[in-house]
Amino acid sequence: MKVVLAADSALDLDDFLYEKYKIQLMPVTITFGEESYQDTIDITSNDIYERVKQGADIPKTAATNIVEYYEFFKQFENDNVIFLSMGSGFTSAYQNAVIASKEFENIHVIDTKNLSNGMGLLAIMVGEAIQSGQSIDETVLLIEDLIPKVRVTLMVDTLEYVAKGGRVSALTKVSAEALKIHPSITIVDNELKIGRLFRGRRDKAA
């Protein structure tokens, strides 16, 4: 049986990397009010930013349910699958994927304990391992060893979207902009933490 790499669509990679490693994506559901979309299928990140810029509220995501994961896993009945899930600390998607995978002997669900670029880095490492001919067991051991070593830190250029999402007050947003404060955010061990605060121009803060 060949080894297939699959993942929740929350990982952020360029299209050529999806193609290079033949990553199969389970679309995350994104909702704007009463309208629902499938990430990477009928909506993109650029679409989301554009709608918010035009005045739409910050969209919400819905954790993929057990039935949706079951239907997704069914297509790989003849393959060994390593499925990279969003961190269990951020969503119930991981638990749902695990429950669905119990109906199959060939699905290996991995809690990446991360999101976005952290998941993407792990996907690249798994993709390289698969292409080098490593077995499913060797690849699973590799990814489990790498997960605790992944730390992603980003600097927020603006608190506009954070404020729209209700995570900070409008007063905090205005104050941060007036003082040119750029908070850093770190994702590590299934948690999102606010790190240092940087002041000044964005390039200087970086």
Side-chain angles (χ1 to χ4, degrees):
M1 297 172 70
K2 71 176 181 180
V3 181
V4 172
L5 172 57
D8 286 314
S9 65
L11 80 167
D12 287 323
L13 292 175
D14 291 327
D15 289 341
F16 80 92
L17 290 173
Y18 291 129
E19 178 62 28
K20 177 179 179 179
Y21 299 115
K22 296 179 172 54
I23 303 172
Q24 306 298 309
L25 294 178
M26 176 70 231
V28 174
T29 299
I30 297 172
T31 60
F32 277 97
E34 299 298 319
E35 300 176 340
S36 294
Y37 302 89
Q38 296 297 299
D39 183 32
T40 73
I41 294 180
D42 46 25
I43 196 168
T44 66
S45 297
N46 288 336
D47 294 332
I48 295 171
Y49 286 127
E50 190 59 34
R51 292 188 65 160
V52 173
K53 283 181 181 178
Q54 293 176 1
D57 290 334
I58 294 292
K60 297 179 180 180
T61 58
T64 306
N65 63 46
I66 297 169
V67 174
E68 289 170 327
Y69 276 124
Y70 176 80
E71 292 298 326
F72 179 74
F73 293 152
K74 266 183 24 178
Q75 65 182 305
F76 305 112
E77 290 180 331
N78 297 317
D79 303 312
N80 273 319
V81 177
I82 294 177
F83 183 81
L84 301 182
S85 173
M86 291 181 282
S88 60
F90 306 104
T91 172
S92 62
Y94 168 72
Q95 287 83 357
N96 292 343
V98 168
I99 293 171
S101 71
K102 293 186 183 300
E103 299 297 320
F104 308 89
E105 295 183 354
N106 61 317
I107 308 294
H108 305 267
V109 178
I110 305 294
D111 181 0
T112 64
K113 300 183 180 180
N114 225 295
L115 296 169
S116 189
N117 298 107
M119 291 178 65
L121 289 170
L122 291 168
I124 290 172
M125 300 303 294
V126 173
E128 289 290 336
I130 291 173
Q131 292 189 351
S132 70
Q134 290 195 31
S135 69
I136 184 74
D137 292 335
E138 291 172 328
T139 307
V140 169
L141 287 174
L142 170 68
I143 194 71
E144 289 177 344
D145 179 62
L146 288 173
I147 286 171
K149 301 174 183 177
V150 175
R151 288 176 171 80
V152 175
T153 299
L154 57 97
M155 184 182 68
V156 180
D157 187 35
T158 173
L159 290 179
E160 178 181 358
Y161 300 113
V162 181
K164 285 186 176 182
R167 296 186 180 276
V168 300
S169 67
L171 177 59
T172 299
K173 170 184 173 295
V174 172
S175 300
E177 290 176 347
L179 296 172
K180 296 183 179 179
I181 292 176
H182 305 278
S184 66
I185 298 174
T186 298
I187 301 175
V188 59
D189 294 334
N190 249 343
E191 290 186 82
L192 189 152
K193 303 175 181 177
I194 301 297
R196 292 177 58 191
L197 304 178
F198 298 93
R199 293 188 61 182
R201 298 194 316 270
R202 186 177 187 278
D203 56 344
K204 181 180 179 181

